[in-house]
Amino acid sequence: MRYLPTIRRLIVSAAFACATLGAHAAEFTVAYQTSVSPAVVAQADGTYERATHSRIDWRKFDDGASVVAALASGSVQFGYLGSSPDAAAASRKVPTETFLIAARLINSEALVTRDGTGIAKPADLIGKKVATPFVSTSHYSLLAALKHWHIDPSKVQILNLNPPAISAAWRRGDIDAAYVWDPALGVAKETGKVLVTSGEVGRFGSPTFDVWVVRKDFAEQHPEIVKAFAATTLRAYADYESNPKAWLADPAHIDAIARITGAQKSDIPGLLEGNDFPSLAQQRSALGTPTASALASTARFLKDQDKIDDVLADYAPYVSASYLPAGQ
């Protein structure tokens, strides 16, 4: 009965196929942006897929508002957001949880003024065209800086443009200044100068940060995937922070980040230094009440600027430290 080995092979192959299919815990979509971080390498080399045992569709977005819309519609399950769009999303009761602080912004976002526009000090912004993506961390920082400088925003021509549109408008000479992140920030710096960074605005009293959020329904069904996603991100951060010089000396790291984000390879070391990537211990301290309070403060500011309609009484339901890995 020569057909028996064939049957056995078919049975084994079928069992293997089922096991392989079962190994994929889920299929989900991640909305990412062009922010530079050590975890981009894990995105590029498939580490997130291996850690979560899932098929992941990585979808690039140009701004936080678009990510929020995708999360609200359910077309994506994970999203990379700035603290401003995160606060706006929670205020609109988009069903998400902030489960990781992706970065504290220092020099990675900045207000750049074009050479030859005559803008030498903050007061010179009055009457000028300043572009930024609305309800982004850059927009929040711009408004916070104007408030600190006692400049009425209505006296500045603030234009709502996403980063690619800012790059195009800058090259055409259509705008005088821009508050944005890379790669558009790098384009502006080529023929402009930095007036203020988000780190400096943070010292004014309005810090900004980036986060990873997940839809609550997905997290309830797949908590182990959210935990694996968080652990993978934090391992990438720890690997970088343990020896930044050696990490940056690996051309594979630089190549991966450049390919995913579009950043110039020569700019990547400076961009990484432009953010602070919180450790596990720092995540434990930040997630919970501090993050919920920061989102509430950001929401109140956005409400004062008529960018959102309502401020929630409590933002704690939109923040969770429960997906952080165990250990030190």
Side-chain angles (χ1 to χ4, degrees), residues 5-69:
T6 301
I7 293 174
R8 291 192 188 99
R9 282 196 296 272
L10 289 172
I11 292 172
V12 170
S13 297
F16 179 77
C18 290
T20 302
L21 181 62
H24 290 286
E27 295 185 18
F28 58 90
T29 302
V30 176
Y32 74 96
Q33 298 189 61
T34 56
S35 299
V36 170
S37 90
V40 172
V41 176
Q43 175 184 344
D45 67 12
T47 298
Y48 281 102
E49 283 82 354
R50 292 190 293 274
T52 61
H53 303 289
S54 300
R55 294 186 178 94
I56 304 176
D57 175 17
W58 295 90
R59 197 172 299 173
K60 189 173 86 169
F61 285 74
D62 290 325
D63 55 68
S66 300
V67 175
V68 170

Side-chain angles (χ1 to χ4, degrees), residues 3-328:
Y3 64 90
L4 282 177
T6 301
I7 293 174
R8 291 192 188 99
R9 282 196 296 272
L10 289 172
I11 292 172
V12 170
S13 297
F16 179 77
C18 290
T20 302
L21 181 62
H24 290 286
E27 295 185 18
F28 58 90
T29 302
V30 176
Y32 74 96
Q33 298 189 61
T34 56
S35 299
V36 170
S37 90
V40 172
V41 176
Q43 175 184 344
D45 67 12
T47 298
Y48 281 102
E49 283 82 354
R50 292 190 293 274
T52 61
H53 303 289
S54 300
R55 294 186 178 94
I56 304 176
D57 175 17
W58 295 90
R59 197 172 299 173
K60 189 173 86 169
F61 285 74
D62 290 325
D63 55 68
S66 300
V67 175
V68 170
L71 287 163
S73 72
S75 62
V76 305
Q77 288 70 50
F78 287 77
Y80 189 101
L81 292 172
S83 47
S84 181
D86 191 19
S91 300
R92 293 165 184 155
K93 299 184 180 179
V94 177
T96 60
E97 287 180 295
T98 297
F99 68 93
L100 202 68
I101 306 299
R104 296 189 182 100
L105 307 185
I106 305 173
N107 300 321
S108 59
E109 296 188 12
L111 174 60
V112 181
T113 62
R114 176 186 294 281
D115 294 341
T117 58
I119 304 173
K121 58 186 183 299
D124 296 331
L125 292 168
I126 294 173
K128 301 297 185 180
K129 294 180 180 178
V130 182
T132 192
F134 277 15
V135 198
S136 66
T137 45
S138 286
H139 186 206
Y140 171 81
S141 294
L142 171 61
L143 294 175
L146 293 175
K147 182 178 180 180
H148 176 78
W149 294 324
H150 305 289
I151 297 173
D152 184 345
S154 66
K155 294 182 179 179
V156 180
Q157 297 184 58
I158 303 177
L159 307 177
N160 180 18
L161 298 178
N162 65 32
I166 287 176
S167 294
W170 189 277
R171 291 189 174 105
R172 291 193 304 267
D174 292 345
I175 54 179
D176 303 305
Y179 207 130
V180 71
W181 55 90
D182 273 283
L185 177 60
V187 171
K189 284 180 177 178
E190 291 173 2
T191 53
K193 61 179 180 298
V194 173
L195 188 63
V196 71
T197 68
S198 289
E200 291 169 316
V201 176
R203 290 192 288 275
F204 295 165
S206 301
T208 49
F209 51 94
D210 287 346
V211 299
W212 277 110
V213 305
V214 62
R215 278 188 58 95
K216 290 183 179 182
D217 53 1
F218 184 88
E220 289 170 359
Q221 295 173 23
H222 303 286
E224 73 288 348
I225 289 180
V226 186
K227 290 178 181 178
F229 195 102
T232 298
T233 305
L234 291 172
R235 279 196 297 272
Y237 290 177
D239 186 33
Y240 167 74
E241 295 291 354
S242 65
N243 192 337
K245 186 175 181 180
W247 195 96
L248 289 167
D250 186 340
H253 293 159
I254 304 301
D255 289 345
I257 291 176
R259 177 162 40 89
I260 296 295
T261 68
Q264 295 294 318
K265 292 181 181 181
S266 59
D267 293 337
I268 289 172
L271 294 173
L272 286 168
E273 292 173 359
N275 283 332
D276 173 50
F277 304 104
S279 66
L280 175 57
Q282 291 170 327
Q283 297 280 349
R284 287 205 181 103
S285 297
L287 285 170
T289 300
T291 299
S293 297
L295 293 179
S297 177
T298 301
R300 286 192 292 271
F301 185 92
L302 293 173
K303 176 67 167 59
D304 290 342
Q305 299 295 325
D306 295 321
K307 301 306 176 186
I308 60 174
D309 296 327
D310 298 298
V311 175
L312 302 181
D314 184 13
Y315 284 79
Y318 294 87
V319 180
S320 177
S322 65
Y323 303 105
L324 293 176
Q328 299 298 319

